[in-house]
Amino acid sequence: VDHRLEGAPDSDRDDVVTEELNRLVSAQVALNHAAKTGVEVTDGEVEARLRELHGEDWQDEDPRYRDAVRREMIVDRVALLELAPRTKLPESALQAYFDEHKAEYAQPERVRVRQIVIEDRSKADALQAQLAQGADFAALARANSIAPEAPDGGELPPFARGELPEAFDRAFELEPGQVSAVIESPYGFHVFLLESVIPAREPSFEEMRGKIEAELGQRHLEELRGEWLRSLRKNAEIQTNESFLETLR
């Protein structure tokens, strides 16, 4: 039972029932159409989808859920097969979208950094002194850091200003190869090593074309899907079970 029905006024309950009925009817009409066109989804494909959604260790306890996933996959597949040829956009539309959103695709300056994080200030100072004398940063990180990337020698994924907590922006003050002073944060006491700087850049249209085409194609597919479902419903014979509707209300 839809949780929105609990304690709702009669008018709202009717709206929820109507919305849910329309969704169920549209899905069933699409499934009927898929059956006529021979579209199917195998058990293996359902299993792969479930593991994608829930992880490799997921255990299926409810066959009704598995059937619901299969039905959804069938509707998605028949919609894609029939509508995909209509989602292709002209090159001019892709270029215009890129020009309008060019600033969003720009990549800011980023840095590659290693860090050591210590709970105790005096220990952090001692490690920083060792580093100033030329000690191996990665080895000290593996042996002493409490941060999760310690096994990787303290190496962090590249990041831009503002992407991580404020203390990490101090890395942008360093020169490549330079070790920072001890920096305090809510996570402990940090020592950074700036390995390299990745300059800011603006990707070209050619680099972004595939991503833009996929993004706009998916949007257009969703728009066409609504029209497609309405067309299927218009051409379908739909009978309403009034007694069943009363049980929903």
Side-chain angles (χ1 to χ4, degrees):
V1 178
D2 196 309
H3 71 276
R4 293 172 296 175
L5 295 178
E6 298 177 3
D10 288 344
S11 58
D12 290 345
R13 291 170 65 87
D14 287 344
D15 289 342
V16 171
V17 169
T18 300
E19 177 187 336
E20 181 64 11
L21 178 62
N22 284 331
R23 187 189 68 79
L24 292 172
V25 168
S26 294
Q28 189 58 55
V29 167
L31 286 167
N32 293 345
H33 180 69
K36 292 178 182 177
T37 55
V39 173
E40 296 180 350
V41 170
T42 66
D43 290 343
E45 289 171 324
V46 174
E47 186 69 24
R49 177 59 176 157
L50 289 170
R51 304 225 176 266
E52 178 185 337
L53 290 171
H54 302 289
E56 290 299 321
D57 297 330
W58 181 76
Q59 298 291 324
D60 184 10
E61 300 294 341
D62 186 355
R64 293 173 301 177
Y65 175 59
R66 180 179 290 268
D67 185 58
V69 171
R70 182 192 302 274
R71 290 160 64 91
E72 182 179 323
M73 291 176 68
I74 290 173
V75 173
D76 288 344
R77 178 166 295 181
V78 70
L80 183 62
L81 286 173
E82 298 202 356
L83 299 176
R86 296 166 55 189
T87 63
K88 187 171 179 61
L89 297 170
E91 199 74 6
S92 58
L94 302 179
Q95 180 70 59
Y97 186 87
F98 173 77
D99 293 340
E100 184 178 348
H101 296 84
K102 187 179 296 185
E104 299 172 20
Y105 300 125
Q107 298 176 355
E109 180 183 63
R110 294 178 295 158
V111 290
R112 291 190 177 93
V113 169
R114 292 182 187 269
Q115 73 162 344
I116 297 172
V117 185
I118 301 296
E119 293 177 324
D120 179 70
R121 175 66 189 244
S122 61
K123 183 176 179 180
D125 287 335
L127 291 174
Q128 203 276 344
Q130 292 182 49
L131 292 166
Q133 295 298 316
D136 183 77
F137 196 101
L140 288 185
R142 281 190 286 268
N144 298 277
S145 181
I146 61 172
E149 69 283 344
D152 299 320
E155 184 176 8
L156 295 165
F159 60 90
R161 291 180 188 272
E163 287 185 350
L164 296 179
E166 184 178 356
F168 291 82
D169 284 351
R170 297 283 296 277
F172 287 85
E173 302 170 5
L174 304 173
E175 297 294 330
Q178 184 180 0
V179 174
S180 74
V182 175
I183 299 167
E184 185 176 2
S185 86
Y187 306 98
F189 297 92
H190 304 249
V191 180
F192 296 120
L193 166 66
L194 177 62
E195 294 209 313
S196 62
V197 177
I198 305 172
R201 63 184 296 270
E202 291 188 358
S204 66
F205 170 68
E206 287 71 25
E207 291 177 88
M208 301 305 302
R209 186 189 180 286
K211 179 179 179 180
I212 293 172
E213 185 173 34
E215 182 178 330
L216 295 187
Q218 183 61 39
R219 289 186 195 177
H220 193 34
L221 177 62
E222 291 303 317
E223 294 171 358
L224 291 173
R225 182 181 174 125
E227 299 173 5
W228 174 74
L229 284 173
R230 286 190 291 273
S231 176
L232 289 180
R233 287 187 58 162
K234 183 178 180 181
N235 295 322
E237 294 184 5
I238 300 173
Q239 297 180 348
T240 303
N241 187 328
E242 295 295 340
S243 61
F244 174 69
L245 289 181
E246 287 302 319
T247 66
L248 293 179
R249 294 189 175 92

